[in-house]
Amino acid sequence: MANGINMISYRQGIRNKGFQVTVPTTGATQTLSLSGLAKAFEGLILSQTTSAAPSILVNGLQLRITLTINNDVVIDDVVAHELGASVAAGVTTGFPAFIPFPRALTGQDTILLRATNSSGASQLLNVTVYYKNEI
């Protein structure tokens, strides 16, 4: 502790990595590959499409999400709206909602995001994963 402030080393800090998943009507599975140094999965954020494709919007009631970390089903077929994605694209709170799912990682992990889509049209889903290199 320096000057009464808890000092966090660079290695202990939270990192994030983003993924954009195109979800056709047949559904999609995306491998969420993190750094080999990743030791702690902290959680994720789901949000709408980027400005690069503003006409394609995520309808949170038409997407269902499953997240599996090393064969552990963390999110099991949950409507994306309940995880922060709004009905009319965007998010329910005005900002993406962080969803904490802390899990230990080994650095050689298999993290899979499965999205099913009942909208009748392809949708884009942004996923941001938060992790640490040290526990």
Side-chain angles (χ1 to χ4, degrees):
M1 216 189 283
N3 299 327
I5 299 174
N6 228 348
M7 300 303 290
I8 296 175
S9 76
Y10 175 77
R11 285 185 53 83
Q12 293 170 318
I14 290 205
R15 312 240 194 294
N16 62 20
K17 184 170 181 184
F19 302 88
Q20 188 171 71
V21 183
T22 299
V23 186
T25 55
T26 56
T29 299
Q30 173 77 40
T31 299
L32 306 178
S33 299
L34 301 179
S35 162
L37 299 175
K39 298 299 180 204
F41 184 95
E42 295 295 319
L44 53 80
I45 291 177
L46 301 177
S47 64
Q48 70 196 47
T49 183
T50 64
S51 60
S55 62
I56 302 173
L57 302 175
V58 170
N59 183 328
L61 292 175
Q62 295 174 329
L63 292 177
R64 300 186 73 84
I65 305 297
T66 299
L67 176 70
T68 306
I69 301 174
N70 296 327
N71 295 320
D72 176 20
V73 179
V74 178
I75 300 172
D76 191 4
D77 200 32
V78 175
V79 175
H81 176 68
E82 295 173 13
L83 299 171
S86 78
V87 175
V91 292
T92 56
T93 59
F95 294 98
F98 177 73
I99 304 140
F101 287 106
R103 296 289 189 279
L105 299 175
T106 66
Q108 298 179 2
D109 304 280
T110 303
I111 304 171
L112 297 174
L113 178 86
R114 171 89 178 132
T116 57
N117 176 3
S118 64
S119 71
S122 288
Q123 298 196 40
L124 292 178
L125 178 65
N126 292 322
V127 181
T128 304
V129 174
Y130 290 82
Y131 67 97
K132 290 182 181 177
N133 286 347
E134 288 186 2
I135 296 179

